[in-house]
């Protein structure tokens, strides 16, 4: 890993300001944050406190107004858009609250999407897709379309899609926010397994204390500031 | 093309919309090919006409005949070095739908005046020496499966009755512009069979001048000669005669071009709108793909590729249909469009037009998708 001293994510004095009708809306106000390789971190905070914004900065799909975001040895502010996309493909697995599967593609094809960006042959892609579908327990659903799956199953397919290219960091934005308690628990168990067995580094946004308990460490964000 | 399936799946997302779009593009290009073919067929017959060949017809209208006696006087005109004549027969084979041109020709002179009709010498000889013989173009022979020696019955409309001809020759055009869909038979045979009052009447005289620059002089002289007779003439070059059909309907070429362009343009606007709708509906999905690491350039190509594929499918359907329809049917408009077939150039132009439509209709949604800001696009649903 290219990261220095085992720190996979390092944020230094990160600010994010949005403009709403020309009025400045400060969302993140001087965030310092370090996540070490192999950690499973939960990020909690009230709605609107800037959790998603912070996660998006770390995942390289948004950029800070000020400060430095270093992830996997790369200072994201210095990367050109094309490079940043390639960097995301290589390092980030993103899990959304609303799963965000492509409705016209089967579970198998959805999981394959990140692999299309690699040089892998069709045969190798198939091997990998079936392997991760097996890992999330959905091998039998490979040919199903998202609308034929339950919410919990959809989220498992989304997790398979997030891990299929073996990214450095998994980020999840309220991954259980749209699920009932039983399915939520299953998803959290799956994430715990990915952390424990595959040594994945995971950053999970949640406002559910039960979900946060599954992580090794919990950060609290309030009004754009990380609480000690 | 591992991304093809992604593009294809997106097209199948709204099957009805995709079908309607493909279909309307197909219609536009079908019409484009058809109108283009009207123009190229006219051009071909103009090219096939000889600059040294003049057409002499009744001054009032083509439907009035001229006396056979004019022949002797035409031969005398200075500058004229060949005369032939014939009548438009206007019949059909078995069914009025089977339209092709038939001409009763003065056989002894016709090959002299029409050197573009190429036939083996023995067939020329056989045709000359038999009163009921006929010759047919190669394309016509192929279409009806007629061979040398076959009896071909033609039902006359201007000259009523069933006329039986024996095929004694199959001619080819010297160039590809020459029509190969006509049946020629003996004018003498027609003339003999007519009642006394209709005998010795000629529809068209063709005269040949020694060089093209004599054409104007000779035309004037011929028309002056018959000016005060009961049957005045109108003489013009074959080109002008052909072009006369065109001017009958005004500046058809311009008209057809305007109509064709208008159709294509209208359909393109509809397609642009459809493509933009299709892309807008997928804002979140595009943001998701970008999150997975799909670059702006790749997204651009995927969205543009989709528009291009739709247009190309429409283009192939429309142009293919045109080629098929005008190959299988015999749309000759009673012989006015003897060579009505879709040229390869027309198909190529149609497909290029389809590609252009694809690019133009895909460019706005593709650029919009490529520029999409991931974080804000994802917010809209959450
Ligand atoms: N693109 C944007 N434009 C304007 N305001 C935004 C934008 N994105 C986020 N915000 C605002 O930033 C604040 C934090 O949003 P977010 O990070 O989504 O919070 P959380 O995920 O903790 O609920 C909210 O007040 C939200 O309205
Ligand atoms: Mg949020």
């Amino acid at each position: 890993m290219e990261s220095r001293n085992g720190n996979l994510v390092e944020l230094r004095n990160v600010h994010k300001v949005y403009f709403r009708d020309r009025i400045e809306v400060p969302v993140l106000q001087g965030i310092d944050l370090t996540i070490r390789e192999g950690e499973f971190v939960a990020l909690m905070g009230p709605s609107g406190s800037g959790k998603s914004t912070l996660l998006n900065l770390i995942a390289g799909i948004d950029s800070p107004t000020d400060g430095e975001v270093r992830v996997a040895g790369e200072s994201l502010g210095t990367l050109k858009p094309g490079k940043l996309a390639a960097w995301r493909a290589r390092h980030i697995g993103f899990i959304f609250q609303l799963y965000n599967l492509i409705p016209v593609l089967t579970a198998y094809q959805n999981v394959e999407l990140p692999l299309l960006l690699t040089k892998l042959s069709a045969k190798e892609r198939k091997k990998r897709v079936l392997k991760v579908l097996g890992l999330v327990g959905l091998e039998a659903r490979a040919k199903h379309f998202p609308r034929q799956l339950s919410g919990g199953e959809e989220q498992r397919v989304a997790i398979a899609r997030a891990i299929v290219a073996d990214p450095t960091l998994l980020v999840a934005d309220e991954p259980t926010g749209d699920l009932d308690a039983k399915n939520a628990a299953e998803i959290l168990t799956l994430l715990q397994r990915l952390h424990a067995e595959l040594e994945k580094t995971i950053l999970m946004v949640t406002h559910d204390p039960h979900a946060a308990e599954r992580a090794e460490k919990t950060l609290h964000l309030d009004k754009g500031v990380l609480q000690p | 093309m591992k991304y093809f399936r992604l593009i294809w799946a997106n097209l199948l997302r709204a099957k009805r919309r995709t079908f309607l779009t493909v279909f309307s593009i197909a219609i536009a290009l079908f019409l484009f090919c058809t109108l283009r073919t009207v123009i190229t067929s006219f051009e071909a017959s103009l090219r096939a006409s000889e600059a040294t060949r003049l057409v002499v017809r009744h001054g009032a209208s083509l439907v009035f005949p001229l006396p056979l006696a004019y022949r002797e006087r035409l031969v005398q005109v200075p500058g004229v070095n060949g005369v032939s004549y014939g009548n438009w027969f206007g019949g059909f084979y078995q069914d009025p739908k089977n339209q092709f041109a038939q001409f009763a020709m003065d056989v002894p002179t016709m090959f002299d005046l029409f050197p573009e009709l190429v036939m083996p010498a023995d067939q020329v000889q056989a045709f000359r020496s038999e009163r009921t013989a006929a010759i047919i173009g190669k394309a016509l022979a192929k279409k009806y499966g007629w061979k040398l020696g076959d009896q071909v019955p033609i039902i006359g409309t201007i000259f009523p009755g069933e006329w039986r001809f024996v095929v004694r020759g199959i001619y080819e055009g010297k160039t590809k512009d020459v029509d190969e869909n006509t049946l020629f038979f003996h004018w003498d045979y027609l003339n003999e069979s007519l009642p006394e009052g209709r005998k010795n009447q000629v529809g068209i005289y063709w005269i040949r001048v020694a060089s093209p620059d004599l054409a104007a002089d000779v035309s004037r002289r011929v028309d002056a000669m018959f000016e005060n007779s009961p049957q005045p003439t109108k003489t013009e070059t074959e080109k002008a005669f052909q072009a006369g059909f065109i001017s009958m309907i005004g500046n058809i070429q311009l008209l057809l071009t305007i109509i064709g362009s208008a159709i294509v343009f209208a359909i393109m606007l509809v397609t642009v709108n459809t493509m933009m709708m299709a892309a807008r509906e997928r804002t979140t999905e595009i943001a998701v793909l970008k999150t997975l690491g799909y670059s702006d350039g790749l997204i651009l190509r995927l969205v543009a590729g989709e528009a291009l594929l739709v247009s190309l499918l429409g283009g192939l359907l429309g142009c293919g249909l045109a080629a098929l329809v005008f190959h299988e049917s015999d749309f000759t408009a009673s012989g006015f469009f003897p060579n009505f077939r879709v040229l390869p150039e027309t198909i190529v132009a149609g497909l290029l037009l389809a590609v252009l439509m694809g690019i133009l209709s895909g460019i706005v949604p593709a650029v919009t998708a490529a520029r999409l800001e991931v974080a804000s696009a994802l917010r809209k649903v959450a």
Side-chain angles (χ1 to χ4, degrees):
Chain A
M1 190 51 47
E2 309 118 280
S3 57
R4 300 168 298 188
N5 52 43
N7 289 346
L8 189 58
V9 178
E10 284 182 300
L11 270 63
R12 293 291 163 257
N13 195 26
V14 166
H15 289 259
K16 180 72 184 180
V17 178
Y18 283 115
F19 286 88
R20 204 175 292 147
D21 303 324
R22 299 222 191 107
I23 299 167
E24 281 192 20
V25 183
V27 177
L28 298 178
Q29 310 184 51
I31 303 283
D32 289 302
L33 166 66
T34 304
I35 296 173
R36 297 179 63 78
E37 253 174 65
E39 274 189 316
F40 183 177
V41 178
L43 178 61
M44 291 192 72
S47 191
S49 58
K51 304 183 296 294
S52 295
T53 304
L54 183 57
L55 195 75
N56 290 347
L57 292 180
I58 292 171
I61 56 174
D62 203 353
S63 52
T65 314
D66 196 14
E68 192 191 16
V69 179
R70 273 191 90 80
V71 183
E74 208 69 71
S75 179
L76 302 191
T78 64
L79 292 179
K80 294 204 179 68
K83 279 265 179 355
L84 191 60
W87 174 89
R88 277 200 300 272
R90 167 72 193 84
H91 291 292
I92 300 295
F94 208 113
I95 300 162
F96 305 90
Q97 178 179 352
L98 295 173
Y99 334 127
N100 280 340
L101 299 178
I102 309 290
V104 290
L105 299 180
T106 61
Y108 179 97
Q109 290 167 342
N110 266 286
V111 175
E112 195 187 17
L113 283 172
L115 294 184
L116 295 180
L117 299 170
T118 66
K119 290 199 172 72
L120 295 176
S121 69
K123 212 174 134 193
E124 287 169 311
R125 293 202 301 267
K126 184 170 183 180
K127 218 175 91 192
R128 289 232 205 165
V129 171
L130 292 179
K131 191 178 136 206
V132 290
L133 277 175
L135 198 70
V136 300
L138 286 177
E139 245 169 338
R141 303 282 193 185
K143 292 205 168 71
H144 289 224
F145 286 93
R147 68 187 138 72
Q148 300 167 315
L149 301 172
S150 73
E153 287 170 330
E154 277 197 77
Q155 192 60 300
R156 272 145 69 193
V157 173
I159 291 174
R161 180 176 69 184
I163 61 174
V164 71
D166 196 20
T168 317
L169 175 66
L170 271 184
V171 296
D173 194 350
E174 309 207 26
T176 58
D178 220 49
L179 296 173
D180 59 37
K182 182 173 160 288
N183 275 303
E186 271 179 30
I187 293 296
L188 291 167
T189 304
L190 181 56
L191 289 176
Q192 269 186 314
R193 265 183 59 208
L194 295 177
H195 171 241
E197 292 169 22
L198 302 178
E199 298 174 352
K200 291 284 169 202
T201 312
I202 303 175
L203 174 60
M204 175 178 73
V205 165
T206 183
H207 54 228
D208 173 8
H210 293 296
E213 273 169 25
R214 305 284 197 118
E216 294 172 316
K217 183 171 148 187
T218 302
L219 301 171
H220 292 272
L221 189 65
D222 197 7
K223 300 198 182 76
V225 182
L226 275 179
Q227 305 301 309
Chain B
M1 190 53 186
K2 54 189 169 184
Y3 298 108
F4 183 78
R5 206 174 44 199
L6 188 56
I7 294 177
W8 189 247
N10 275 329
L11 285 183
L12 296 185
R13 167 189 313 250
K15 287 195 192 67
R16 189 183 309 148
R17 181 169 65 195
T18 303
F19 172 79
L20 288 175
T21 312
V22 168
F23 198 64
S24 47
I25 293 171
I27 290 176
L29 284 155
F30 176 80
L31 287 172
F32 168 83
C33 288
T34 307
L35 298 181
R36 199 54 226 150
T37 303
V38 170
I39 295 171
T40 57
S41 312
F42 267 126
E43 283 169 353
S45 56
L46 283 184
R47 267 200 309 276
S49 59
E50 299 274 336
T52 55
R53 206 154 56 206
L54 308 183
V55 176
V56 185
R57 55 167 164 119
H58 194 284
S61 162
L62 249 177
V63 301
F64 299 124
L66 297 168
L68 180 61
Y70 279 14
R71 183 190 174 184
E72 296 314 317
R73 302 188 55 191
L74 288 172
V75 174
Q76 307 293 325
V77 176
V80 171
N81 66 9
V83 176
S84 187
Y85 55 92
N87 277 57
W88 170 260
F89 185 72
F92 58 84
Y93 169 62
Q94 285 179 343
D95 190 291
K97 275 192 308 210
N98 294 328
Q99 288 181 345
F100 54 89
Q102 308 99 32
F103 272 97
M105 298 294 286
D106 180 46
V107 175
T109 55
M110 78 174 275
F111 291 102
D112 181 32
L113 267 282
F114 296 90
E116 68 264 37
L117 306 179
V118 180
M119 215 164 61
D122 56 324
Q123 292 183 18
V124 175
Q125 201 44 52
F127 175 44
R128 284 192 170 172
S129 53
E130 188 175 342
R131 210 172 50 101
T132 59
I135 60 170
I136 55 180
K138 200 174 139 198
L140 198 58
K142 191 170 155 219
K143 187 152 131 204
Y144 294 104
W146 290 331
K147 290 177 295 295
L148 294 178
D150 281 0
Q151 278 241 355
V152 175
I154 301 290
I155 314 289
T157 53
I158 306 172
F159 307 99
E162 191 188 86
W163 301 69
R164 293 187 160 271
F165 305 109
V166 190
V167 177
R168 290 300 179 206
I170 295 173
Y171 72 86
E172 279 182 40
K174 200 182 256 168
T175 66
K176 70 172 169 45
D177 293 329
V178 176
D179 154 48
E180 292 178 345
N181 281 292
T182 302
L183 180 148
F184 297 104
F185 64 95
H186 288 252
W187 187 87
D188 288 341
Y189 174 43
L190 174 69
N191 198 44
E192 286 159 21
S193 319
L194 292 174
E196 212 46 52
R198 292 187 73 179
K199 274 199 206 310
N200 297 330
Q201 295 184 339
V202 168
I204 301 174
Y205 283 100
W206 288 275
I207 59 182
R208 192 181 53 224
V209 291
S211 83
D213 36 285
L214 290 174
D217 261 357
V218 169
S219 301
R220 227 171 297 125
R221 220 168 287 153
V222 168
D223 291 344
M225 196 158 72
F226 301 113
E227 199 176 355
N228 298 314
S229 71
Q231 284 98 9
T233 59
K234 178 165 170 147
T235 306
E236 54 198 344
T237 60
E238 201 169 57
K239 253 191 181 53
F241 179 70
Q242 301 267 14
F245 287 131
I246 301 172
S247 57
M248 279 196 313
I249 336 174
N251 192 341
I252 195 167
Q253 194 148 333
L254 181 66
L255 188 72
L256 295 187
T257 306
I258 289 171
I259 294 173
S261 316
I263 293 167
V264 169
F265 187 69
I267 295 294
M268 202 183 75
L269 292 182
V270 174
T271 313
V272 170
N273 188 42
T274 309
M275 287 298 147
M276 277 166 59
M277 263 167 57
R280 208 175 304 132
E281 280 167 12
R282 296 208 297 270
T283 306
T284 309
E285 287 171 36
I286 287 163
V288 169
L289 289 178
K290 286 192 175 189
T291 305
L292 298 182
Y294 282 56
S295 68
D296 296 355
L298 179 55
I299 296 289
L300 183 103
R301 276 175 281 144
L302 288 175
V303 177
E306 195 179 319
L308 205 58
L309 188 62
V310 165
S311 289
L312 211 55
L313 282 176
L316 285 171
L317 194 66
C319 296
L321 210 64
L324 208 70
V325 165
F326 299 122
H327 178 76
E328 289 298 323
S329 89
D330 43 325
F331 180 74
T332 63
S334 328
F336 271 171
F337 294 96
N339 268 342
F340 201 86
R341 64 190 137 94
V342 185
L343 298 179
E345 297 93 284
T346 300
I347 304 271
V348 170
L351 291 180
L352 283 178
L353 198 62
V355 169
L356 190 72
M357 282 174 84
I359 290 171
L360 289 179
S361 62
I363 198 152
V364 174
V367 169
T368 310
R371 285 197 186 149
L372 187 73
E373 298 258 0
V374 183
S376 38
L378 285 174
R379 282 196 74 76
K380 288 197 184 106
V381 277

